[in-house]
Amino acid sequence: MKAVERCFLFMGSQRRAWSGLAALGYHLEAVGAEAWRGTYYDTHSGSLFRRSIRLLGVQDPAEWRWRIAEPATAAEAPLEEIPEDPPPPDDAPVTWRGQRLLPVLRVRVHQRVFKLTAPSGQQFELALVDAAFARPMAREWVPGRRLLSLSIPEGQASEVAVIGSFLRDLFRIRPLPGDLLVYGLEVAGAHLPGAPVPAELKLRPDDTLRQAGHKLLVRQAFKMRANVEGARMDLDPEFVHDIRVATRRARFALRLFGDELGAADAAALRDELSWIAGLLGQVRDLDIMQQNIRRYAVELAGRPPVPAAIGAHLRRCRTDALDALDDALGGERFQRILTWMERIAEGERPDLPFDQLRRVLDAAPPLIHAATARLQRWFKREPSKLEPAQLHRIRIHFKRLRYTCEFFNDLFGDVFAEAIGKCVEFQDCLGEHQDAQVAQARLREMADRLAEDGGATTETLIFVGGMIQQLEGVARECRRRFERNWKKFPRLIAAIDAATGSGPVPEPAS
Amino acid sequence: MRVVFLSDIHANFPALCAALDRARLLKAERCIVAGDIVGGGPHPVEVIRLLRERSVLAVGGNVERKLLSLRGKNKRRKRWLKRPHCAHLVWTARQLGEAEWDWLAALPAVLEMDLESVPVQVVHGTPHSDEEYIFPSVTAEALQRFELDPAVRVLVCGHSHIPFTKKVAGIRVINCGAVGRPVDGDSRGAFAVAEFNGPTSVNARIVRFRYAVNDLVADLEERAVPGARGGEYLRGVKLRGV
């Protein structure tokens, strides 16, 4: 049966609230006490949360079961909408509807349940909830304040609203701004699933260039912090990827806004970020390589299985790389970097008068044009004659153009969406080319190392040879795709010109 | 005897609760409501239930009169829904249960009582109509037109949302202002408190109080009350015609 559920922060005297409700004609009857614990799950990007879906694995107390709920209309879901298997008690990831779900928050609840009958005869379930919360990796539980939860059968939402008003206005019991998950994440000091960027970190038209640089760096630090736990737990390769992307963006922001942020400071911070970027890159490259080897092995004629020696070698390399990354992410140096990113250029430059401060709204179009100009210089070259290293260079320029557009996109009301999409196409194509190049070099290096260790069987060497051939084919195909797309590069320039420069400067978003 | 007179609650439950809290602090012994209890706000059921539970004496206002014409299934609901200034009444009608309708239907248009031997008349607009206004500029001649019972010493009203208390031709006129819909540029709610000390002594004053206006605005939005503008409550003004 569907139900409407609301939670309140229970403060003050229980007796006063109970007697007040009784005076209003409500009848309260104790039903019993319950204890359960559970884990909230979501995708890495927080897609369930964004759709207001809460997936909770509950143990109450003897068996695990799934409970799917929405904040406004909590429900025991139809069977086809919840995973078939019970949730894993050890908070391990789980696959559902083809998505990998990760533990987001653990919750432990003890509640006293009451049956509340309204003067109209309508019945509610009212519970006094003592809950404690823990992040997936944390050992200690953080207790929340006592909550009052109110639920009622579907279709009686207005009745819940009425009693909600009595609780809030008459007995001063404040409603929770969100649901139990949102409250628990706040109590446990964790980010919302998918770590949406807080509104105060979005650029505003009246920001100065220095403020914009500061906000963009704080935003990257926020994204990095949000993904550290998942990366260290190795819950999903995407956590490492997201920290890496945030690191790249931060380094690029330091390059773009370096003069405004303080050149020496920016250069020093970039050096520090290079250190963590290197460690992240090692893990990420191995993730990509494992992924590609699995993918291309299937495409190889005869589909030979990946030799055990190669699989074991890659796993060993990844474990070593991840251990090094884990130490780094848990260490003081990384914490210092994050704090530095959050504090750099916090105030306005003291040496400049107000009227000389550059506004981000004025500075953005020239910065975007500078990024396109760098690519236009490459466009004069014959694409078939470009070396792999040069293609990689072009890829980096596309990445910078994309980041520049993305940095300023909310400022101009999403006008760069088309240009960003085109940049992503170029970037993906060149990225696949680069990955194939790196994978070939790594495979050769791995074959040499295995041969040195005496672990290179004929089967392994044949597999490596076949795989290198396959990768060469992939690289050729990527180059062909790029050469085809490269002819359309002027369209990307036209899209950017339309959005910023040659035409009128776009209106700032309000 | 200390009595608080409330008016124009307009289904604003946070404001009513804050007003009653203030009345308790003032050690008021009685509470009387001068109409327009619901309409426009998001909490008609809560307001009626609380007033009913506290056995508060009340008169009906023009809003209650119009609302009662929508009781039960009738075609007027459909017609009124299309009128921007009436749609909130249809919304309110849909929220009410039988018990709330019965309570509204039992409200008189005029209350006449003796408080500490002082004859008091409580109306919503004027003794003649719940749609006429009594403003601070009221004169003795204007009062004469209302043909009040000569014994009445205190006339309590609301409707204009402009609070004042004034003695005119020997009659203490009290306009309670609005508990839940102030429009005089002050976002705080208003009510009147009167001290009855025997047949000749009546002192009255206006009390302003703060309430959780943000909660109200959030509820207006959440419950989708037609035509409601949260900004008007936040500023204590009315930006369009009635």
Side-chain angles (χ1 to χ4, degrees), chain B residues 112-151:
Chain B
E112 285 172 344
M113 67 192 83
D114 283 353
L115 296 171
E116 295 282 323
S117 307
V118 178
V120 177
Q121 189 174 102
V122 182
V123 295
H124 178 60
T126 70
H128 278 174
S129 159
D130 59 19
E131 299 225 327
E132 287 179 359
Y133 297 95
I134 298 181
F135 288 113
S137 54
V138 63
T139 58
E141 290 74 26
L143 276 188
Q144 271 176 1
R145 275 200 297 111
F146 298 143
E147 296 166 350
L148 283 171
D149 181 335

Side-chain angles (χ1 to χ4, degrees), chain B residues 63-115:
Chain B
V63 171
E64 281 78 44
R65 180 172 47 78
K66 288 177 191 168
L67 193 62
L68 282 163
S69 72
L70 297 175
R71 188 174 186 176
K73 285 185 180 175
N74 65 43
K75 289 180 182 171
R76 192 172 288 175
R77 282 195 187 192
K78 256 188 184 171
R79 274 204 319 272
W80 284 23
L81 202 53
K82 291 175 188 162
R83 297 183 194 168
H85 59 288
C86 294
H88 70 91
L89 289 174
V90 181
W91 181 88
T92 302
R94 286 177 179 163
Q95 311 304 310
L96 303 180
E98 277 307 301
E100 286 83 38
W101 279 115
D102 289 346
W103 188 82
L104 284 178
L107 294 176
V110 180
L111 270 177
E112 285 172 344
M113 67 192 83
D114 283 353
L115 296 171

Side-chain angles (χ1 to χ4, degrees), chain A residues 313-327:
Chain A
H313 179 76
L314 285 174
R315 276 195 297 277
R316 207 167 42 244
C317 290
R318 189 178 182 279
T319 305
D320 291 346
L322 192 65
D323 284 347
L325 179 64
D326 183 34
D327 288 345

Side-chain angles (χ1 to χ4, degrees), chain B residues 17-233:
Chain B
C17 290
L20 293 176
D21 274 355
R22 178 61 80 87
R24 188 168 46 83
L25 290 175
L26 291 168
K27 298 187 169 58
E29 290 165 58
R30 292 189 75 171
C31 174
I32 294 165
V33 180
D36 277 10
I37 292 157
V38 293
H43 309 114
V45 177
E46 291 91 324
V47 166
I48 293 174
R49 283 192 191 166
L50 184 62
L51 295 180
R52 195 180 54 191
E53 181 260 310
R54 303 264 164 112
S55 305
V56 171
L57 277 179
V59 298
N62 55 321
V63 171
E64 281 78 44
R65 180 172 47 78
K66 288 177 191 168
L67 193 62
L68 282 163
S69 72
L70 297 175
R71 188 174 186 176
K73 285 185 180 175
N74 65 43
K75 289 180 182 171
R76 192 172 288 175
R77 282 195 187 192
K78 256 188 184 171
R79 274 204 319 272
W80 284 23
L81 202 53
K82 291 175 188 162
R83 297 183 194 168
H85 59 288
C86 294
H88 70 91
L89 289 174
V90 181
W91 181 88
T92 302
R94 286 177 179 163
Q95 311 304 310
L96 303 180
E98 277 307 301
E100 286 83 38
W101 279 115
D102 289 346
W103 188 82
L104 284 178
L107 294 176
V110 180
L111 270 177
E112 285 172 344
M113 67 192 83
D114 283 353
L115 296 171
E116 295 282 323
S117 307
V118 178
V120 177
Q121 189 174 102
V122 182
V123 295
H124 178 60
T126 70
H128 278 174
S129 159
D130 59 19
E131 299 225 327
E132 287 179 359
Y133 297 95
I134 298 181
F135 288 113
S137 54
V138 63
T139 58
E141 290 74 26
L143 276 188
Q144 271 176 1
R145 275 200 297 111
F146 298 143
E147 296 166 350
L148 283 171
D149 181 335
V152 168
R153 297 270 60 87
V154 177
L155 175 65
V156 179
C157 61
H159 191 45
S160 71
H161 297 215
I162 308 291
F164 72 91
T165 167
K166 181 178 179 180
K167 201 158 185 183
V168 184
I171 297 172
R172 168 64 63 185
V173 180
I174 300 172
N175 189 317
C176 319
V179 168
R181 191 67 180 86
V183 296
D184 55 356
D186 185 340
S187 62
R188 294 175 302 167
F191 63 82
V193 56
E195 190 90 41
F196 293 87
N197 297 317
T200 54
S201 171
V202 179
N203 292 314
R205 67 186 172 95
I206 301 298
V207 175
R208 301 300 297 232
F209 62 93
R210 292 187 194 286
Y211 71 97
V213 66
N214 289 326
D215 287 343
L216 174 87
V217 172
D219 285 357
L220 282 170
E221 201 170 299
E222 191 185 319
R223 301 189 189 186
V225 182
R229 292 182 182 180
E232 294 183 341
Y233 289 87

Side-chain angles (χ1 to χ4, degrees), chain A residues 64-86:
Chain A
W64 282 93
R65 64 184 171 83
W66 287 108
R67 183 167 182 261
I68 188 165
E70 294 169 37
T73 52
E76 293 296 335
L79 281 176
E80 65 272 17
E81 288 208 359
I82 56 175
E84 285 177 15
D85 300 323

